[in-house]
Amino acid sequence: MSASSRSALRLAIFCLSSGAVLGACSKAPEEPEFDHGLKKPLVRKLREELAETPCDKAKAQQLAQLLLDTGDTKGLARATDTFTEKCGPDVVLLQLAYTAHARAGEKEQALKAATALVAAQPDNASYRVWRGLSLEALGRTEDTAAELQKAFELQPGQRPILNALVKSYDALGRSCEALAAYQRFVESAKPSEAKSAEVQGQLRERASKTSCPAQEAAPSDAGATPEAAAKP
């Protein structure tokens, strides 16, 4: 146990077991500083330099990467928030913040970072997928489907987005929307993807089990040339 941790523990025991002077224990002890190990001198140096030039993107990104590498998600969140407040949002910092929070299972913080990314680049399908996954982690199934549908509209030929979207629709029991997503994918994807046995099997199976007004299943051979191949 570090010296700062032992000090905090002694103060907590003192406050609980003794008749401390009023006010002496009214303020919770400060959280011990995160141990950045061998990276600590560089972290300190970058923080000092950013205090002088807070909008230096290169240094802010370098610091954020160090905090991510050392597992300091709280420090990374503070660094990102500080930069955003003073200098406006930076996509790289928000990407790192999302990655850190998602890895740590910090659902609300991951959603906050993903939402900021979507606000910065609303036509980026990947950021909408990240936001959808964050909403899914919080159990917000309706919102998840809506966000993934927006991502799918941006890149309807991407199989991973299709899979995530169909999963969300299946969870909601919205079979017509799931079938429509498969039909749109077949129209938009590369021929090799559209004609794959798995996609065609899913399409036939869903069409046979689903009765949806004003919808027709796509031809099983998917022979039509896609309108546009989605970029990865």
Side-chain angles (χ1 to χ4, degrees):
M1 183 182 294
S2 66
S4 59
S5 297
R6 288 196 297 272
S7 177
L9 178 59
R10 286 196 297 270
L11 178 57
I13 294 173
F14 173 74
C15 291
L16 290 172
S17 62
S18 67
V21 176
L22 182 63
C25 298
S26 59
K27 184 179 180 181
E30 293 185 3
E31 183 178 339
E33 183 181 355
F34 190 89
D35 183 6
H36 298 102
L38 296 176
K39 304 293 185 180
K40 184 176 181 178
L42 183 53
V43 168
R44 183 189 299 114
K45 178 176 180 292
L46 285 169
R47 282 176 169 166
E48 291 173 351
E49 291 175 348
L50 283 167
E52 297 294 327
T53 56
C55 293
D56 187 324
K57 285 187 178 182
K59 289 179 180 177
Q61 292 170 5
Q62 185 181 1
L63 173 61
Q65 185 65 60
L66 281 172
L67 297 175
L68 174 62
D69 293 343
T70 56
D72 186 2
T73 58
K74 291 184 179 179
L76 177 51
R78 286 194 298 270
T80 303
D81 290 344
T82 298
F83 186 92
T84 300
E85 290 170 5
K86 294 181 178 180
C87 317
D90 177 74
V91 168
V92 173
L93 291 178
L94 291 170
Q95 288 175 344
L96 293 170
Y98 171 82
T99 300
H101 293 310
R103 286 180 183 176
E106 297 167 349
K107 302 174 185 178
E108 291 287 356
Q109 296 92 326
L111 176 59
K112 177 183 176 182
T115 299
L117 282 166
V118 169
Q121 296 185 6
D123 293 334
N124 188 307
S126 295
Y127 297 157
R128 290 197 174 274
V129 170
W130 288 4
R131 187 168 190 273
L133 295 176
S134 299
L135 290 164
E136 181 182 39
L138 289 165
R140 295 169 56 179
T141 314
E142 288 281 358
D143 293 333
T144 299
E147 196 64 40
L148 292 175
Q149 179 63 44
K150 292 175 182 176
F152 185 65
E153 289 167 2
L154 289 167
Q155 292 194 359
Q158 288 297 310
R159 183 69 182 279
I161 299 178
L162 170 70
N163 292 342
L165 176 61
V166 168
K167 177 185 174 183
S168 69
Y169 280 146
D170 285 345
L172 291 166
R174 292 162 60 177
S175 56
C176 287
E177 286 90 337
L179 175 59
Y182 265 101
Q183 292 171 338
R184 177 72 185 281
F185 175 79
V186 167
E187 295 170 356
S188 306
K190 296 177 181 178
S192 59
E193 287 280 343
K195 294 180 181 180
S196 69
E198 184 178 355
V199 168
Q200 290 300 308
Q202 281 286 329
L203 191 59
R204 287 193 295 268
E205 181 180 355
R206 289 174 181 276
S208 67
K209 295 180 179 179
T210 306
S211 178
C212 302
Q215 287 194 16
E216 297 179 358
S220 60
D221 61 359
T225 302
E227 296 177 359
K231 297 180 180 180

